[in-house]
Amino acid sequence: MQHGIRRYASDGAPSGGMNRWVKYGGGFFAVTFVAFGIARAMTTEPEDMEKAKAEFEENMAKIRNPGKADKKPANPTFKGGDQGWIDLKLESVEELNHNTRKFRFALPDKDDVSGLQIASALLTKFKGPEMEKPVIRPYTPTSDEDARGHIDLVVKRYPNGPMSEYLHNMEPPQRLDFKGPIPKYPWTPNKHDHIALIAGGTGITPMYQLCRAIFNNPNDKTKVTLVFGNVSEEDILLKREFEDLENTYPQRFRAFYMLDKPAEGWMQGKGHIGKDLLKQVLPEPKVENIKIFVCGPPGLYKAVSGAKKSPQDQGDLSGVLKELGYEKEQVYKF
């Protein structure tokens, strides 16, 4: 599939008027602060010198970086351990397609960050009035780990899926319980030379978290191959974001899509993710320092890698990856 490279251009600010006032007015205030600082230093008692110096440096920082000087240090909302559950307010809901929505939850403070590491997830919980036990499900936020004041969840509505049904029936400003972070695969820059991401449906969210960490870090040179299976083209979540990665990093990121029910004119793969495609696009199993990640519905695990025994036990490797010669240590199941 061919993708056009999008370019963005911004015009320079018009000269004169307010811009000229800001340019020269900013210089005026800078000189004023400097003069004030020197005068105060000459007339201040020695024991107050350090305080005056600190105030002066703070004022200069505000001039050099307007808006940044007053920014509070980021406080992580989720700290793990015995912290317990935290209820967050639903701030907004965005329709993504016929059965998927993005839910934005407000963190306790506008300057808070989630506290998630790469790769990790959060647990969600609710208990209906007639339920004996609460429903608990893990989700990987799609918002950046350093995003302040909120987290975003992309959730597909599954028939008879209690948590997804509950979320899709929520409206602002209702609240939901969260807990975490739940550590998954610890990532460090250049941990592997080449990774492959095999995903189905909303199993794409931990893969996207990993991609963000890699391509947001200029020191991380990892190559990434994505194989993403869905029912139809409108079910492909985060497709625009992945297309941007392909355009920006054509030598390091490739994406291959498979559809069960493609529309006429679809130019990529048709059917389920299978042996022929994976043999063609994945890094060779004998190549050193590779890792393959798998996440999706039970049918995908069964066909590609075999299921996990538990959250702590990856289970044996089976399926297509076993047939292609990969070892258990080369595969991680989210």
Side-chain angles (χ1 to χ4, degrees), residues 180-331:
I182 309 302
K184 297 290 185 177
Y185 189 81
W187 182 260
T188 54
N190 305 301
K191 186 170 185 174
H192 301 289
D193 296 331
H194 192 166
I195 65 172
L197 314 174
I198 304 174
T202 51
I204 195 63
T205 55
M207 310 303 197
Y208 181 55
Q209 184 189 57
L210 195 51
C211 282
R212 286 201 318 271
I214 291 170
F215 292 104
N216 284 343
N217 185 347
N219 296 318
D220 197 333
K221 306 302 181 184
T222 308
K223 292 183 179 180
V224 180
T225 298
L226 170 66
V227 181
F228 190 12
N230 287 278
V231 176
S232 64
E233 187 170 3
E234 69 172 340
D235 292 314
I236 302 176
L237 302 177
L238 303 166
K239 191 169 187 285
R240 185 187 65 185
E241 287 81 354
F242 289 124
E243 287 178 342
D244 287 343
L245 288 180
E246 282 188 294
N247 290 335
T248 308
Y249 305 98
Q251 304 302 318
R252 290 177 51 211
F253 181 82
R254 297 187 304 163
F256 301 89
Y257 301 99
M258 296 289 292
L259 298 182
D260 295 344
K261 299 177 181 179
E264 186 176 351
W266 173 251
M267 301 298 291
Q268 291 211 35
K270 302 175 183 179
H272 298 296
I273 296 173
K275 188 174 182 178
D276 291 341
L277 174 65
L278 296 183
K279 184 178 181 179
Q280 178 183 349
V281 303
L282 295 188
E284 292 285 340
K286 301 304 180 184
V287 174
E288 292 185 7
N289 200 20
I290 64 166
K291 197 77 175 183
I292 299 175
F293 297 88
V294 184
C295 190
L300 177 72
Y301 284 111
K302 182 178 180 180
V304 171
S305 63
K308 294 189 294 185
K309 285 188 176 181
S310 72
Q312 292 76 34
D313 188 345
Q314 286 278 298
D316 294 329
L317 181 64
S318 61
V320 170
L321 293 179
K322 176 77 171 180
E323 295 172 14
L324 290 175
Y326 295 94
E327 302 291 337
K328 177 180 178 179
E329 293 72 24
Q330 293 177 301
V331 179

Side-chain angles (χ1 to χ4, degrees), residues 33-226:
F33 272 125
V34 171
F36 172 77
I38 293 172
R40 182 165 182 175
M42 293 175 65
T43 59
T44 301
E45 295 296 326
E47 59 269 21
D48 293 331
M49 283 289 291
E50 288 302 318
K51 182 179 179 180
K53 179 182 177 183
E55 290 179 359
F56 172 68
E57 290 178 348
E58 181 181 348
N59 287 327
M60 291 304 297
K62 290 180 180 180
I63 295 172
R64 288 191 295 266
N65 299 292
K68 289 187 177 181
D70 294 327
K71 201 168 188 179
K72 296 179 182 178
N75 176 57
T77 295
F78 300 101
K79 300 177 175 68
D82 58 358
Q83 182 184 33
W85 295 90
I86 299 175
D87 70 315
L88 300 181
K89 181 179 70 175
L90 179 61
E91 198 172 74
S92 65
V93 181
E94 179 184 348
E95 203 89 21
L96 298 183
N97 62 32
H98 63 102
N99 63 4
T100 306
R101 293 176 178 176
K102 181 170 76 173
F103 300 86
R104 174 160 292 187
F105 289 88
L107 297 176
D109 188 272
K110 63 182 179 63
D111 285 308
D112 286 356
V113 295
S114 67
L116 271 70
Q117 303 89 35
I118 307 299
S120 63
L122 292 173
L123 294 178
T124 58
K125 181 183 74 169
F126 87 94
K127 186 176 183 294
E130 299 180 0
M131 298 172 61
E132 292 185 5
K133 296 181 179 180
V135 175
I136 299 176
R137 294 288 186 273
Y139 287 99
T140 304
T142 57
S143 45
D144 285 348
E145 284 65 42
D146 58 357
R148 294 196 177 211
H150 70 271
I151 56 170
D152 294 337
L153 299 184
V154 172
V155 181
K156 182 177 180 178
R157 187 172 197 161
Y158 290 98
N160 302 315
M163 181 58 78
S164 68
E165 292 274 6
Y166 180 79
L167 278 162
H168 275 251
N169 288 325
M170 286 185 69
E171 295 180 356
Q174 290 179 302
R175 305 182 78 91
L176 183 68
D177 284 339
F178 289 83
K179 187 178 182 180
I182 309 302
K184 297 290 185 177
Y185 189 81
W187 182 260
T188 54
N190 305 301
K191 186 170 185 174
H192 301 289
D193 296 331
H194 192 166
I195 65 172
L197 314 174
I198 304 174
T202 51
I204 195 63
T205 55
M207 310 303 197
Y208 181 55
Q209 184 189 57
L210 195 51
C211 282
R212 286 201 318 271
I214 291 170
F215 292 104
N216 284 343
N217 185 347
N219 296 318
D220 197 333
K221 306 302 181 184
T222 308
K223 292 183 179 180
V224 180
T225 298
L226 170 66

